[in-house]
Amino acid sequence: MRDIYLVRHGKPAFEGGAKRCIGWTDPELSGEGRRQMEKLSREFAEKSIERIYTSPLKRCVESANILSGGRIPVEVVEDLREIYMGQWENMTFEEIKQKYPAEYEARGRDLAGVPAPGGESFADCERRARRAFEAIRNASRGNVIVMAHVGVNRALISGFEGRKLGDLLEIPQGYGQVYRKTDFIFDAMIVAAGLSSRMGEFKPLMEIGGKTVIRRQVETLRAGGAREIAVITGHRAGEIRAEVSGPGVLFLHNEEFERTKMFDSVSIGLKYFRDKCGTPEGRSLDGIFFLPVDVPLFTRFTMEYEKWRFASGDGDVYCPYNGGAPGHPLLIRASALDFLLAHDGERGLKGAYERLGERVIHLDVTDRGTVMDMDTREDFLRLSAYEAGREIPDEETCEALLAWFKTDGAVVRHCRAVAALAEKIAAECNRAGAGLDLKLVRAGALLHDMAKAYPDHAGTAARWLSMLGHGAAARVVADHMDLPEEKLGGLSESLVVYLADKMTQGEKTVSVEERFEYKRRMFADQPEALAAVGRRRELARRALAIARQGGFSDETD
C-alpha cells in the first residue's frame, strides 16, 4: 500500500493584487505561496516520496520544485493543467458577473456540464484529469505527490468519494492543502509451464482474434493496473519470452516442468512475490492477480471490480464467478502468500485457498471470459467465436448487464422502448439499402441508459462497456446524449439510437417536437438551459431529416 498526495499549488501572484479566474493563465507564485510550499516541504521530509508529478503551469512547477528541493524527481504531466476558463481567463469574479450574468448563472446551475464561454466544462476536465491520474498510478509504486490545481483536484476527489461532480465546490482545497489517497499496488502472475498435451498445439502461442493467448493476457493485466507480471515458463520457454518480453514482464522458469504438477509452477511464482514483499521495491505490494495461461478472455472490468472489493479488506482471495462457475483471474492478498505456500499441493492452488474458508470471496460477474478456458481444440474454437462477436453483446448479455448494474426498472423499460423504435428505424432504412447492423442498433439502444444513476451517464456506461470488451456498443452509447457533428453527415447506428432516444418519452414514442416541447416547458425560466434544449432539438431535427432521407417513414407528425 502507498499514498498518493494531491496537492494544490501555493498562492499565485495575481495581476493587480485582486483574485482572478486563472485557468490556463500562468502567473508565478507569490511570496506567500513560496512560504506555503517551503512549510509543506518540511512536512513531507519524512514521507519517502518517490516522485512528484506536476501540471506544466508555472505556479505548479515552482511549487513542485520547492517540495523537491533537488532531491525528488519532478515530472511534468500536461493533462494536470487547470480547467480552461475561455473568455473568463484572468478576469476578476466581479467582472465576470457584470459582463456575463446569464452565463455565470447558468454555469452555477450546472457546474459539471456548462463551460465558461469558449472554455472547458468540469466534465471534460474530470475526464482528462482521471486519465492523467491513472497513468501516474500505473507508472509508480511508492508514495508520490500530484501537484495540480483546485479544479483538477476537486474533480478527482469527487470521483474518489463518489460525489456528484456538480457539487465539487463543497470540497475544501486551499492553497498548499493536501488530500491523501491510499492506493493499492497489484502485480500479476501467469502460469504457462505446461505441455498443452490435450490441445495438440502450444496454447500460449495460439492466436485468438489476431493476438496470441499469452499476449492477450499480458495486455489485459497491464490495462487493469498490474505493475509487474511474472510469467512462469517451462515448455518452449524461449518462444514465450520472445512473444511478451518488455518492461514490467519477468520470467521464472520451472526446470522440472515435465515431472512436476501445476502447483509446483504456481509455487515458484508465489515464492517470488513472497520474497519481493521483503524488499524496498515490493514492500508496497498488496495483491497478485493469478491465472493459468488458458483463460485469455477475462476483461479489465473484472479486474477493476476485484480491486474495488479488495479495498474492503474482507477477504484474502477473490474469485470471480459467472453462471455459478468459478473463474479467473484470482486476486490474492499478499499477506496470504505464506499460508498458500504451506499447502501440500493436493488439488492445486484451489485446494490451497479453499482452506481459507470465509476469507475466500466469491464475486458474481457478467464477464463470461472469466470461466472460458481452452483445454481442447473445441474449447479454442468456442473462445474464438466468442471473441469475434464480443464487440456487440447479444440480447441475453444486455439484459444481464442491466440487471448486474441494478439499472432502475423504469429506465430499463425506457431502454427497451428505445430499442424497439431504433430497430424499426434501422429496418426501414435497411430496406432502402442503408446496411445498418441491427444487432448493434439493438444493443446500443438497450444499454444507452445503463448508467443513468451515475454522473456523465453516457460516458460512464461507454467506459464500462469498453472495459468489458463491448467496444462497438460502447461507441454507440457514448453518442446518445449529444451526437457528434461528424456523425450528422449520414446514417449510422449511433444516429439511429440517438434519434430513437429523442423520440421516446418514458416508454411512449413521441415526435421530436413533442419531446423537446416537454423539455422547453421544464426549463422555461432558465435561459441558458433553454438554449441548450434548443441546440439539442436542432440536432435531433437534423438526425430525423437524415433518417427520413434514408428510408424512415416517421409516423409521429
Side-chain angles (χ1 to χ4, degrees):
M1 190 183 300
R2 50 85 176 264
D3 291 317
I4 299 177
Y5 299 94
L6 293 188
V7 180
R8 185 183 180 188
H9 57 77
K11 185 176 181 179
F14 289 108
E15 180 185 329
K19 189 171 183 180
R20 293 174 177 271
C21 181
I22 53 168
W24 291 9
T25 304
D26 206 10
E28 298 178 347
L29 287 182
S30 64
E32 182 182 353
R34 286 189 288 273
R35 289 190 293 274
Q36 288 168 336
M37 290 298 107
E38 288 162 1
K39 179 177 182 293
L40 199 56
S41 71
R42 294 190 290 273
E43 296 175 12
F44 272 115
E46 304 300 320
K47 295 190 184 295
S48 302
I49 302 300
E50 174 185 286
R51 186 173 292 264
I52 301 173
Y53 298 89
T54 180
S55 155
L57 298 176
K58 291 175 186 175
R59 55 195 184 273
C60 279
V61 172
E62 190 176 353
S63 296
N65 286 333
I66 292 171
L67 293 191
S68 165
R71 300 181 304 277
I72 305 169
V74 175
E75 182 175 330
V76 173
V77 178
E78 284 293 329
D79 275 344
L80 289 176
R81 67 173 59 238
E82 181 61 300
I83 184 172
Y84 179 50
M85 297 304 292
Q87 295 174 25
W88 295 357
E89 285 283 347
N90 208 29
M91 295 177 66
T92 67
F93 289 94
E94 283 305 313
E95 289 172 338
I96 292 169
K97 290 176 187 177
Q98 289 174 12
K99 294 184 179 181
Y100 298 92
E103 293 86 347
Y104 186 84
E105 184 182 346
R107 188 167 184 267
R109 285 194 301 268
D110 183 6
L111 198 60
V114 176
E120 181 182 29
S121 72
F122 267 113
D124 289 334
C125 175
E126 188 271 339
R127 279 189 282 270
R128 67 171 168 82
R130 184 177 65 242
R131 182 171 64 239
F133 184 81
E134 288 304 315
I136 289 167
R137 285 186 69 203
N138 291 337
S140 58
R141 293 190 73 98
N143 299 332
V144 299
I145 292 171
V146 176
M147 180 65 68
H149 308 266
V150 67
V152 166
N153 288 352
R154 282 171 166 166
L156 288 171
I157 293 166
S158 293
F160 300 157
E161 297 184 353
R163 296 169 176 252
K164 290 182 179 179
L165 188 58
D167 295 336
L168 86 173
L169 294 184
E170 298 174 4
I171 300 170
Q173 254 258 322
Y175 295 119
Q177 191 166 340
V178 178
Y179 179 93
R180 188 181 83 170
K181 177 171 174 55
T182 299
D183 187 48
F184 294 99
I185 298 292
F186 301 99
D187 287 341
M189 60 182 285
I190 303 169
V191 176
L195 295 167
S196 304
S197 54
R198 288 178 62 193
M199 177 64 72
E201 296 181 55
F202 190 48
K203 288 190 282 189
L205 300 182
M206 295 176 74
E207 289 193 3
I208 294 178
K211 291 182 183 178
T212 62
V213 164
I214 189 74
R215 179 166 294 280
R216 276 187 173 277
Q217 291 185 316
V218 167
E219 289 182 358
T220 303
L221 289 169
R222 277 179 174 154
R227 307 297 204 279
E228 183 176 61
I229 302 169
V231 181
I232 294 83
T233 61
H235 185 51
R236 296 171 66 173
E239 294 171 70
I240 291 177
R241 283 176 174 268
E243 177 63 15
V244 292
S245 288
V249 180
L250 71 119
F251 300 91
L252 307 171
H253 189 60
N254 180 1
E255 298 285 353
E256 304 293 322
F257 70 91
E258 291 186 270
R259 293 178 292 279
T260 55
K261 296 181 179 179
M262 184 176 177
F263 189 71
D264 296 292
S265 295
V266 171
S267 295
I268 291 172
L270 297 180
K271 287 174 184 174
Y272 168 79
F273 286 113
R274 190 261 322 268
D275 295 343
K276 180 178 177 178
C277 288
T279 68
E281 181 192 10
R283 65 189 174 198
S284 60
L285 178 61
D286 295 289
I288 302 97
F289 285 100
F290 165 83
L291 67 156
V293 77
D294 59 358
V295 185
L297 297 185
F298 68 98
T299 68
R300 178 187 168 190
F301 187 90
T302 292
M303 292 180 66
E304 297 295 343
Y305 183 52
E306 289 181 84
K307 290 190 293 185
W308 180 71
R309 284 297 304 271
F310 182 97
S312 69
D314 56 354
D316 287 321
V317 175
Y318 296 80
C319 179
Y321 272 67
N322 180 267
H328 290 91
L330 302 177
L331 178 53
I332 302 169
R333 197 172 294 275
S335 58
L337 291 173
D338 277 325
F339 180 88
L340 297 178
L341 282 166
H343 182 53
D344 61 10
E346 185 178 355
R347 296 177 58 240
L349 181 59
K350 188 173 183 181
Y353 73 69
E354 283 183 344
R355 295 186 302 130
L356 288 163
E358 292 182 355
R359 299 294 294 174
V360 180
I361 308 299
H362 293 182
L363 304 177
D364 288 322
V365 300
T366 62
D367 180 2
R368 278 187 269 170
T370 59
V371 295
M372 298 178 75
D373 58 7
M374 43 179 281
D375 287 329
T376 66
R377 185 70 183 177
E378 290 73 21
D379 292 336
F380 171 72
L381 294 175
R382 179 171 53 90
L383 265 69
S384 296
Y386 175 72
E387 171 59 21
R390 186 161 58 168
E391 283 274 309
I392 306 172
D394 59 23
E395 184 98 4
E396 180 184 356
T397 301
C398 289
E399 292 290 345
L401 287 167
L402 291 168
W404 194 87
F405 286 106
K406 296 181 172 60
T407 308
D408 180 77
V411 175
V412 171
R413 292 190 293 275
H414 167 74
C415 289
R416 290 172 182 155
V418 171
L421 178 57
E423 279 189 300
K424 177 180 183 295
I425 296 169
E428 290 186 7
C429 292
N430 277 355
R431 284 195 286 273
L436 295 167
D437 188 323
L438 294 181
K439 185 179 176 184
L440 176 55
V441 165
R442 182 159 184 83
L446 281 173
L447 299 173
H448 78 281
D449 274 350
M450 181 175 78
K452 188 69 173 178
Y454 296 80
D456 183 24
H457 74 277
T460 297
R463 188 166 65 252
W464 291 342
L465 291 168
S466 181
M467 285 195 291
L468 282 162
H470 307 313
R475 291 187 286 275
V476 172
V477 168
D479 292 338
H480 87 269
M481 279 291 290
D482 284 296
L483 193 68
E485 183 67 32
E486 63 269 20
K487 293 191 177 178
L488 282 161
L491 278 171
S492 67
E493 290 81 6
S494 285
L495 183 142
V496 168
V497 172
Y498 170 82
L499 177 60
D501 183 41
K502 301 303 175 281
M503 295 179 65
T504 307
Q505 191 168 307
E507 300 170 57
K508 179 184 176 185
T509 299
V510 296
S511 70
V512 166
E513 299 307 319
E514 284 179 285
R515 174 71 185 274
F516 283 94
E517 178 59 25
Y518 168 78
K519 291 283 188 182
R520 198 185 68 78
R521 289 196 303 270
M522 183 185 299
F523 298 110
D525 60 343
Q526 301 178 34
E528 192 69 21
L530 201 58
V533 169
R535 179 181 60 80
R536 285 179 170 158
R537 179 175 61 183
E538 186 55 36
L539 289 177
R541 285 171 171 170
R542 290 170 63 190
L544 177 59
I546 291 168
R548 282 172 170 168
Q549 187 176 6
F552 173 45
S553 56
D554 180 17
E555 299 170 359
T556 58
D557 285 352

